[in-house]
Amino acid sequence: MPPYDSDSSDEGEDFTETNTLLGYASKTASGDAISHIGGSPAWIDDKTAPSGALAKCKVCNGLLTLLLEINGDLPEHFPGHERRLYIWCCRRKACRRKEGSVRGIRGVRVAKGTSKAAEKKAQKPEVKQEEKPQPQLGESLFGVKSGGSAGGAANPFANPFSSGASGTTSSNPFAAGGGSANPFAKAPPAAEPTPTEAKDEASTTLPETFADKVRLSSPPPASTQPARPHEPWPATSAFPPAYPHFYLDAEYETLDAPSAPEIPANARMEVDTEGSSGGGKEDKEIFESTLDKTFQKFADRVGENPEQILRYEFQGKPLLYSDTDAIGKLLAAHAEHGSSSNAKITTVGSKGGSGMPRCGNCGADRVFEVQLTPHAITELEVDEMSIDGMEWGTIIYGTCSKDCKPSDVGEGEVGYVEDWVGVQWEEVAK
């Protein structure tokens, strides 16, 4: 799809811009050296790769093939976090339609001091400031400016997946607040304590800051959690042939404004009055029962931008391919259902507000972040001679709402966590 241009001949038409970023495959190199489909993975730190166990299909134990790697840095949500998301699949036909043949891996590195800074921020009294307009997600994640019908003047050709792009830096959350009571204030005169009493009193009246320093200088206690098993990551030559490498370009989704269908002037309606009186109602019920409304909405929504290969909206809602399979039933109450609303959607809740299972690493809620669409298969299998290719309708990636890291990985170090992936397979003709 060509980028939307507000100065084009379509200026008189109505468009709705959503908060969903659409990704498009491109052979042309851009400023982003991270996000791509196909090809081989690039890790956050060349010295640290995931455990080799994450590279294997859970069905056949064979090695997987990379479908997607995306730069997932979200400074507005996770300051100090480097994030990358990876989706892998098994290419063996016998493993298709089986759980574990598609896997999602999240790489994360939390900068040193990030946790302490967050704790200090939480402890400081909240100071009310003048409300400012919230930037759209793409501006903070990919540096994309809104290019909808509102007349924005952003460059629609700018690559929003650029690893060097960042959003507007927020004000310093650690600005000095009010002072605290002086911990060294003199107490009223009292009887002189004995040497033993003086020693005990000194140990209990030391300033908290000094006690903190003592604890920081002491060696940390030994971890009570066993170390996770780690297998060496296999050599590149051991993997199946990689899919072709494509760079990613992106823009916000724009939809044509819905309009009522026009009825030709010479059209006429014929009513069949023969047969049973309820024939018309029965025919309608039969027709609606054979129509998969969810799939039709999926096809219509994707069809407005047919070359999209992925849809991205952190804490957004996935667009379901079907609501009759296991994934559809799990997420139906929290899915997009083809709506063209441009309101910001959040699904974070206290009890699995996204419908996805909780994070297996820390127990927090999971939220939707990205999904692959069928056109990705067309791009990835462009060189395949066989028609017996991938059979999924969409792959939905759910990530930890807290962007947790493995418990045995310290700040400043790179860790990898398996996230949740839901696959909706193509319908098989009965």
Side-chain angles (χ1 to χ4, degrees):
M1 170 187 169
Y4 171 68
D5 185 356
S6 60
D7 295 328
S8 67
S9 59
D10 297 331
E11 185 175 0
E13 299 184 14
D14 293 329
F15 292 90
T16 297
E17 183 181 85
T18 74
N19 288 329
T20 301
L21 279 172
L22 303 183
Y24 299 90
S26 173
K27 277 293 187 182
T28 306
S30 61
D32 181 14
I34 297 177
S35 302
H36 62 94
I37 61 170
S40 301
W43 311 119
I44 296 177
D45 184 346
D46 293 337
K47 300 178 181 178
T48 307
S51 169
L54 296 176
K56 298 177 181 178
C57 171
K58 292 184 178 180
V59 181
C60 68
N61 208 40
L63 294 180
L64 303 170
T65 305
L66 182 68
L67 292 179
L68 170 71
E69 175 182 352
I70 191 169
N71 177 8
D73 288 350
L74 292 169
E76 293 292 329
H77 293 276
F78 308 115
H81 288 218
E82 291 181 68
R83 306 172 73 246
R84 295 195 192 176
L85 311 181
Y86 308 83
I87 297 180
W88 300 75
C89 77
C90 183
R91 300 185 72 163
R92 297 183 181 181
K93 185 176 180 180
C95 297
R96 294 176 188 169
R97 301 181 181 274
K98 295 180 181 179
E99 187 175 356
S101 63
V102 181
R103 303 181 70 175
I105 302 173
R106 172 172 48 87
V108 60
R109 174 164 58 188
V110 181
K112 292 184 177 180
T114 299
S115 298
K116 292 181 180 178
E119 291 177 2
K120 289 182 179 179
K121 182 179 179 181
Q123 292 173 359
K124 290 201 176 220
E126 183 178 356
V127 179
K128 292 186 178 180
Q129 297 180 351
E130 182 180 355
E131 294 186 0
K132 298 180 179 179
Q134 293 294 329
Q136 292 204 50
L137 179 59
E139 297 180 18
S140 60
L141 179 61
F142 305 123
V144 184
K145 296 296 183 181
S146 173
S149 58
N155 178 10
F157 299 95
N159 175 26
F161 289 99
S162 173
S163 57
S166 62
T168 304
T169 305
S170 59
S171 58
N172 178 16
F174 311 117
S180 59
N182 179 10
F184 301 102
K186 292 184 179 181
E192 184 177 355
T194 63
T196 303
E197 292 174 342
K199 181 178 180 181
D200 293 341
E201 182 180 354
S203 64
T204 58
T205 59
L206 287 174
E208 182 64 23
T209 53
F210 180 81
D212 287 342
K213 292 180 181 178
V214 173
R215 285 195 293 270
L216 290 174
S217 63
S218 303
S223 176
T224 57
Q225 297 184 357
R228 294 174 299 127
H230 184 88
E231 300 178 20
W233 187 262
T236 303
S237 58
F239 284 87
Y243 288 112
H245 181 285
F246 289 92
Y247 299 98
L248 290 180
D249 286 325
E251 63 183 5
Y252 280 105
E253 179 184 41
T254 55
L255 305 173
D256 293 335
S259 58
E262 296 182 2
I263 302 177
N266 61 348
R268 62 179 182 176
M269 180 182 298
E270 294 183 358
V271 180
D272 185 7
T273 57
E274 297 181 1
S276 62
S277 58
K281 181 179 180 181
E282 292 174 358
D283 291 342
K284 180 180 178 182
E285 291 177 350
I286 293 173
F287 172 77
E288 290 183 348
S289 66
T290 59
L291 177 65
D292 188 338
K293 295 182 180 180
T294 299
F295 172 76
Q296 190 60 51
K297 290 177 179 178
F298 178 91
D300 291 344
R301 182 71 171 267
V302 172
E304 293 212 37
N305 301 277
E307 294 184 357
Q308 61 180 279
I309 61 172
L310 65 83
R311 303 172 60 83
Y312 183 99
E313 185 182 358
F314 181 73
Q315 295 183 350
K317 291 191 175 184
L319 185 63
L320 291 184
Y321 183 83
S322 170
D323 60 2
T324 59
D325 62 359
I327 301 301
K329 293 177 181 178
L330 182 68
L331 305 182
H334 312 277
E336 175 56 54
H337 292 303
S339 170
S340 61
S341 171
N342 63 349
K344 184 169 181 59
I345 303 167
T346 57
T347 58
V348 179
S350 59
K351 296 183 179 180
S354 65
M356 302 173 186
R358 289 179 176 273
C359 176
N361 182 59
C362 71
D365 289 344
R366 280 196 177 101
V367 295
F368 169 77
E369 186 155 354
V370 65
Q371 71 182 111
L372 290 173
T373 56
H375 191 66
I377 298 178
T378 303
E379 299 288 3
L380 292 170
E381 295 184 345
V382 65
D383 297 328
E384 299 285 339
M385 300 300 295
S386 172
I387 61 173
D388 189 19
M390 289 183 278
E391 299 177 349
W392 46 265
T394 187
I395 298 177
I396 300 171
Y397 190 108
T399 188
C400 175
S401 60
K402 295 185 177 180
D403 194 41
C404 66
K405 60 180 179 61
S407 57
D408 58 349
V409 172
E411 288 190 343
E413 300 176 356
V414 178
Y416 292 89
V417 179
E418 182 167 14
D419 278 329
W420 181 85
V421 169
V423 184
Q424 294 197 284
W425 302 95
E426 288 181 351
E427 296 290 338
V428 179
K430 296 181 181 179

